[in-house]
Amino acid sequence: MHMNKKNTLLITMILLSTFSALTISGEQETKLVPVILKMVPNFAYELGPSMFIEFNRSIMADEQVYTADDDIWFGFDIDIADDTLFSDSGEESYVNQWYFNEPDEFSEYNVTRLQGNFNLYLDNTDLGISNVGQFSGINTTQGIVVTLEEGWHLLTIIAGEVVSDIYHTSFSWQWAKDSLYFYVSEDPIDNPPERRQASNVCDVKSYPTPADQLVNQFEWTWTDIRVATELHDSDVSTLSQTLLRSVDDAYVEVDYNYSTYPLALAEDDGYAVFQSLHHLGPGISFWWVNDGDFSLENEDTFQLRVGNNYVYFAAIGMKPHFRWDFESVTIPTVMVSSKVFTIINDVSGASYGTFSVILGFISLAAIVTVFRKRK
């Protein structure tokens, strides 16, 4: 059996195209872009009517684009009843303001905001607040050199605050969140790719866990009490997951611990302090994904997007605040503990590897057809 030159050329071209696809199969190389994060925190030191937290969009706009070696300036404005916002110049704490406030003739108080705190995230990194200079009158601008993958990135700030009713008889939590997406590119671009929703979901579940059953267990004593979050069963494999098919879903779990006792305060040497170990007040916890809304449920399901997804869990509660100038006085403070998971949803379309397989089938079918025609 002999093939003519036309058929031979056709088969050669098909095989070459298949080989070319196979040689470029696999993941595309990730581009890394060096940039400088420059944070300029802005704070409100006089309490307003309610808690407030928001990125300052006059510093960074939504969906702003940056290229290599750019300075990424961002900042946020907050109004939170947080002791750590004070310098060491002796201002009265917000807890004291609440506790020692005098009721009016109708038994109503004009101070209801007790204590709060906030936390900051970049993608899946918990930036915390330890490096945020929070003292009035001091330049707290910070510059941090980082290398980010080319693509979309997400800044998120959350806050929680304990408030009371006007009669100081009941307490509740207020919470808030703000998010900013920005795009990092190796070369200047005018239109970054659109963020698209996928069919995949992520199921989440959180378990309230006694302190002595945590991996990093602790005793319920004045010096050890804290808000804690841990990976369920210490399963670090859940921190980063890659979904390769549209029928695949993600699942993450967290253990957490905070006080569920009622809140009650007492006076100790001019400070408003916890009445006892069993009067710390209940905490609060919530899930959210990317820039979506909070869910206060222990179990929920979230829709994912194509590409990188960030699944957050935060527990917020009260604990003793031991500052050097407070010595061992158990002044209430609010603590945030969190876990962040990365779900890489890589099902946006046929990869080069899939494309190679498709071309292989086409090639095989073409060869069979040619041989059949020659018989």
Side-chain angles (χ1 to χ4, degrees):
M1 181 178 65
H2 299 282
M3 290 184 288
N4 60 30
K5 292 182 179 180
K6 182 178 180 181
N7 288 337
T8 303
L9 179 61
L10 174 63
I11 292 174
T12 302
M13 291 177 63
I14 293 173
L15 290 174
L16 283 174
S17 66
T18 304
F19 176 76
S20 299
L22 286 169
T23 57
I24 61 174
S25 70
E27 295 182 358
Q28 293 182 333
E29 182 182 356
T30 300
K31 293 182 179 179
L32 300 178
V33 183
V35 294
I36 302 176
L37 286 174
K38 289 197 172 182
M39 179 175 64
V40 186
N42 299 281
F43 298 101
Y45 289 89
E46 297 294 330
L47 288 187
S50 61
M51 184 183 69
F52 175 84
I53 186 165
E54 188 174 275
F55 283 107
N56 189 325
R57 284 166 172 77
S58 66
I59 299 175
M60 177 193 285
D62 288 289
E63 302 187 349
Q64 197 161 331
V65 178
Y66 301 92
T67 54
D69 299 320
D70 273 353
D71 290 343
I72 300 180
W73 291 91
F74 72 97
F76 46 87
D77 301 307
I78 64 175
D79 179 357
I80 298 175
D82 179 2
D83 285 329
T84 63
L85 292 178
F86 289 112
S87 67
D88 296 324
S89 57
E91 293 98 333
E92 188 179 29
S93 74
Y94 289 123
V95 178
N96 275 12
Q97 289 182 36
W98 181 92
Y99 185 79
F100 294 110
N101 186 230
E102 295 290 334
D104 62 19
E105 57 183 321
F106 303 106
S107 299
E108 297 178 358
Y109 294 84
N110 62 10
V111 176
T112 59
R113 300 177 60 183
L114 178 65
Q115 185 66 204
N117 216 329
F118 69 99
N119 211 52
L120 182 66
Y121 305 86
L122 170 62
D123 295 339
N124 58 356
T125 302
D126 183 342
L127 298 177
I129 60 171
S130 59
N131 293 320
V132 180
Q134 300 169 2
F135 303 124
S136 178
I138 297 178
N139 184 350
T140 60
T141 299
Q142 300 178 53
I144 306 170
V145 178
V146 295
T147 300
L148 300 177
E149 290 186 7
E150 184 170 79
W152 287 107
H153 294 275
L154 180 64
L155 279 168
T156 303
I157 191 166
I158 66 169
E161 183 178 288
V162 178
V163 300
S164 71
D165 67 333
I166 60 175
Y167 301 106
H168 282 197
T169 57
S170 64
F171 300 90
S172 61
W173 281 94
Q174 291 184 347
W175 54 87
K177 177 178 69 69
D178 194 23
S179 301
L180 266 179
Y181 266 109
F182 64 96
Y183 193 84
V184 172
S185 174
E186 186 177 49
D187 301 307
I189 59 171
D190 294 327
N191 298 304
E194 180 185 4
R195 299 188 303 277
R196 295 183 290 116
Q197 184 171 294
S199 59
N200 312 66
V201 300
C202 181
D203 295 315
V204 302
K205 192 169 184 179
S206 52
Y207 303 89
T209 306
D212 59 0
Q213 294 181 22
L214 294 171
V215 174
N216 297 307
Q217 56 186 257
F218 58 92
E219 296 182 9
W220 200 256
T221 62
W222 284 124
T223 55
D224 291 334
I225 293 172
R226 60 183 180 271
V227 180
T229 56
E230 290 186 347
L231 298 177
H232 188 62
D233 294 331
S234 301
D235 189 358
V236 296
S237 67
T238 62
L239 278 172
S240 180
Q241 303 176 43
T242 300
L243 308 180
L244 297 175
R245 303 181 305 165
S246 60
V247 295
D248 292 339
D249 294 324
Y251 182 62
V252 297
E253 298 175 292
V254 167
D255 297 334
Y256 68 94
N257 178 273
Y258 50 61
S259 167
T260 56
Y261 295 123
L263 176 63
L265 301 178
E267 181 181 354
D268 184 350
D269 194 25
Y271 292 108
V273 301
F274 287 121
Q275 194 175 92
S276 75
L277 281 169
H278 303 293
H279 289 90
L280 304 186
I284 189 172
S285 59
F286 32 71
W287 291 93
W288 75 98
V289 173
N290 298 326
D291 58 341
D293 295 332
F294 285 143
S295 168
L296 276 71
E297 303 296 328
N298 274 339
E299 192 169 357
D300 212 331
T301 299
F302 294 94
Q303 197 76 38
L304 297 175
R305 289 175 176 160
V306 173
N308 288 353
N309 293 266
Y310 305 108
V311 180
Y312 302 86
F313 176 82
I316 307 178
M318 302 192 77
K319 63 177 289 292
H321 181 17
F322 292 99
R323 271 176 44 173
W324 67 268
D325 52 340
F326 290 157
E327 298 177 348
S328 60
V329 178
T330 55
I331 291 176
T333 190
V334 170
M335 178 181 177
V336 181
S337 180
S338 60
K339 287 288 177 287
V340 188
F341 303 85
T342 302
I343 311 298
I344 303 170
N345 201 346
D346 196 17
V347 294
S348 56
S351 65
Y352 282 120
T354 305
F355 189 51
S356 302
V357 173
I358 294 172
L359 280 178
F361 280 117
I362 293 174
S363 303
L364 180 60
I367 293 171
V368 170
T369 301
V370 169
F371 275 100
R372 281 179 175 174
K373 288 183 177 180
R374 292 292 301 161
K375 288 182 179 180

